[in-house]
Amino acid sequence: MAIRRLLTRSLNRSAALTAAVILLLIALVACGGETSDSRDADAITVSDQWVKAADSGMTAAFATLHNSSDRDIRIVSAHTAAARTTEMHEVVDNGTGGTTMRQKDGGFVIPAKGSVNLTPGSEHFMLMELPKPITTGQNVAFTIRFEDGSTVGFQALARDFDGNQENYAPDGEHEGMGK
Ligand SMILES: [Cu+2]
């Protein structure tokens, strides 16, 4: 009887020890994963970035944003000295067969281990009230800020682009956004 109780106790103890070791290992792995890209900015890579050349008014910038981390990462703001205001826009149905752009609620979210492709006719950085022309071949510097306050900077080359012209016209769909 006494032996059996002793045996049970030591089994319980070794089970508890095993559990503790497993928990410790999980904690170590979790921490190890976090140190490589603990800041949002460290997990984001920007590629294929460009901006549409424009003489005045507004234009748009495009890029592919990749997130190497295991968590979704949100862009809370974007900035460039080439525009007085920079917004994050999405393109949606306007209910009458066309499309309209509007500010993306909460900003762009780059999914864990995934990408967001900003392309003409889809999501884009909207550059409003250009203080001076953005000319073809010019490099435009951008800074994007993430939810944790970290930032990523990138240079986007200005290109001529005729597609989706109507979408970016100052008198077009942006009127009535009220923002
Ligand atoms: Cu827009």
Side-chain angles (χ1 to χ4, degrees):
M1 206 56 187
I3 288 172
R4 175 177 281 181
R5 200 177 298 153
L6 245 176
L7 195 64
T8 310
R9 196 183 292 167
S10 80
L11 274 175
N12 281 343
R13 198 174 290 170
S14 78
L17 191 65
T18 305
V21 167
I22 288 170
L23 281 175
L24 186 68
L25 283 173
I26 289 171
L28 282 174
V29 168
C31 289
E34 260 183 354
T35 49
S36 60
D37 55 15
S38 56
R39 293 183 332 142
D40 288 347
D42 296 335
I44 300 297
T45 353
V46 180
S47 57
D48 300 327
Q49 65 273 26
W50 62 283
V51 54
K52 181 183 173 297
D55 289 335
S56 61
M58 49 181 79
T59 189
F62 310 96
T64 296
L65 305 156
H66 180 73
N67 175 2
S68 64
S69 79
D70 295 326
R71 62 187 186 279
D72 294 350
I73 291 180
R74 183 185 302 275
I75 299 176
V76 293
S77 67
H79 175 79
T80 175
R84 295 220 163 82
T85 311
T86 305
E87 296 180 347
M88 286 176 275
H89 279 189
E90 62 181 348
V91 175
V92 294
D93 287 342
N94 66 2
T96 58
T99 57
T100 188
M101 332 186 236
R102 64 179 185 202
Q103 280 204 67
K104 175 98 176 178
D105 219 10
F108 299 142
V109 174
I110 308 150
K113 302 279 182 203
S115 297
V116 163
N117 297 313
L118 307 178
T119 54
S122 181
E123 293 176 329
H124 53 274
F125 292 115
M126 194 81 218
L127 281 61
M128 302 162 97
E129 296 177 71
L130 305 185
K132 56 183 184 184
I134 294 175
T135 53
T136 307
Q138 183 186 338
N139 260 310
V140 180
F142 285 82
T143 305
I144 49 179
R145 183 177 296 274
F146 304 99
E147 217 161 9
D148 71 351
S150 61
T151 59
V152 161
F154 62 90
Q155 300 266 340
L157 197 66
R159 275 190 212 167
D160 278 324
F161 183 77
D162 289 332
N164 289 87
Q165 192 86 40
E166 71 283 6
N167 279 358
Y168 308 119
D171 300 318
E173 304 288 2
H174 276 284
E175 279 205 306
M177 272 198 324
K179 279 177 185 171

